[in-house]
Amino acid sequence: MSPEGLLSIGELAERAGVTVKTVRFYSDLGLLPEVSRSGGGHRRYGPEALDRLRLIRSLRALGLPVPEVSRVLDEGDGLTGSLENALDARLRELGSEMAALRWREAALQLVRDCPAGERAERLRLVGAVSEPPSTAALARFWRGALPARLSSRLRSVILDHAVPRPPVDPTPAQVLAFARLHAIATAPCPAGDPRRPARHRTDADCRPDVLYDGLFDAYSLAAADLRTGRTPDRGQALDCFVTAHATARDLPDTPAFRRRLDTLLTRAADPMIDRYWELTGVLTPSPDPTLGAVHEWLRSALSDDVARAAG
């Protein structure tokens, strides 16, 4: 140490347990200001530089980027403010990184353990999904499928039910299910594709908000029936389901309307959408059935009801 109590760059590096190159790097970035220069142009640091250098190393060891380290040092209080914000941001980043790693681990197991003949397809499916997986494509799929005149309130409710969140700690089977959902959502659908008008769209003369509000009431009733294992049949859930469709079209619930509705729903049935809901169930295993399962239960109940009336 010099008579003035200043440290040379070598002395500072030795006391901090780092290399001279490291001290010079942080100095050049402005994180570790020098007090003066010797007659020969060598850097000199004050005694406080040692604690500052140790703090810099600690912050960098936590993964904070240099700009965040600089903000923490500039604030002067290492326990609040900028440090808390920087640590919160780093924790969010780590959460995202860990989610990506868990997804990658399950994806690797999925490809490694599958039959050789399925490996190319699974690589293609998994490779099309980001890490961590994003639900943006699924949300776009449903926004395009829902009626244009549907209110933002109902659109948001439907998206909450129809867009499953990837599991925090996925199994290989769930990785495959999500990758297949992503493939469905991003598959090209030409204007002439017969599936296009079947994607949960409604008649031009139908009031979509009235329809979907009524459908959610019917779905709640039918979900209770599904949970108890009841087979599709007549009852309050079916009546509520038909009433929703009839009221949305300003029509009465009559046997003729039920026949027309059964025909309409049968024609609109889409195996791709059925598969979507099946895969959604893999991603969100719970006692509560998916909207797709509830809709199919009600559709089957309606078909049975129409068949009985005809017989």
Side-chain angles (χ1 to χ4, degrees):
M1 183 177 293
S2 68
E4 298 84 8
L6 302 181
L7 299 170
S8 70
I9 191 170
E11 291 168 334
L12 178 58
E14 182 179 359
R15 293 192 183 192
V18 300
T19 64
V20 169
K21 183 178 180 181
T22 297
V23 177
R24 185 177 294 112
F25 174 73
Y26 289 132
S27 292
D28 291 343
L29 289 175
L31 299 181
L32 195 63
E34 58 196 60
V35 173
S36 64
R37 295 264 179 147
S38 67
H42 300 294
R43 306 175 197 233
R44 292 288 184 264
Y45 300 88
E48 72 283 353
L50 181 57
D51 287 339
R52 187 177 178 91
L53 179 55
R54 286 170 175 164
L55 177 58
I56 292 171
R57 292 188 65 207
S58 296
L59 295 174
R60 292 291 288 154
L62 290 174
L64 269 63
V66 169
E68 292 296 335
V69 172
S70 178
R71 275 190 282 272
V72 172
L73 295 172
D74 289 343
E75 189 175 75
D77 186 348
L79 299 178
T80 59
S82 294
L83 177 58
E84 290 185 357
N85 294 334
L87 293 177
D88 286 342
R90 183 56 184 150
L91 283 171
R92 288 192 297 270
E93 291 172 2
L94 279 176
S96 180
E97 291 170 10
M98 291 172 67
L101 287 173
R102 286 191 291 265
W103 174 270
R104 186 176 302 174
E105 180 184 31
L108 287 168
Q109 292 171 350
L110 171 69
V111 176
R112 180 197 65 188
D113 299 338
C114 74
E118 299 177 14
R119 191 158 292 151
E121 180 200 11
R122 293 193 179 186
L123 281 170
R124 177 182 58 79
L125 287 169
V126 171
V129 180
S130 62
E131 294 180 359
S134 168
T135 59
L138 278 60
R140 284 195 301 270
F141 173 80
W142 284 104
R143 289 193 189 99
L146 292 169
R149 293 182 293 134
L150 190 66
S151 68
S152 58
R153 171 183 64 86
L154 280 169
R155 192 179 299 274
S156 177
V157 171
I158 294 170
L159 287 175
D160 284 343
H161 285 83
V163 179
R165 297 295 171 188
V168 175
D169 192 8
T171 65
Q174 288 173 324
V175 168
L176 181 59
F178 189 89
R180 284 177 169 159
L181 278 178
H182 185 273
I184 290 174
T186 56
C189 188
D193 193 316
R195 298 173 304 180
R196 193 175 182 86
R199 290 185 177 180
H200 289 240
R201 297 186 183 274
T202 55
D203 297 349
D205 59 347
C206 175
R207 291 178 292 165
D209 274 35
V210 174
L211 172 61
Y212 281 92
D213 271 327
L215 286 180
F216 271 108
D217 290 339
Y219 289 166
S220 296
L221 293 169
D225 290 331
L226 263 75
R227 282 192 292 268
T228 61
R230 183 185 175 206
T231 57
D233 203 352
R234 294 172 176 171
Q236 187 180 7
L238 176 59
D239 291 343
C240 186
F241 180 70
V242 176
T243 297
H245 282 279
T247 303
R249 296 169 173 81
D250 294 319
L251 295 172
D253 176 4
T254 64
F257 178 79
R258 292 199 174 205
R259 289 194 299 272
R260 172 189 162 190
L261 181 60
D262 180 44
T263 300
L264 177 67
L265 295 179
T266 300
R267 289 176 179 172
D270 186 348
M272 182 183 66
I273 296 296
D274 293 341
R275 179 61 170 155
Y276 182 100
W277 288 115
E278 178 185 344
L279 294 168
T280 298
V282 175
L283 285 168
T284 56
S286 76
D288 295 324
T290 65
L291 288 185
V294 175
H295 180 81
E296 182 59 29
W297 190 96
L298 288 164
R299 194 167 67 88
S300 297
L302 176 62
S303 294
D304 290 346
D305 181 59
V306 169
R308 289 180 189 175

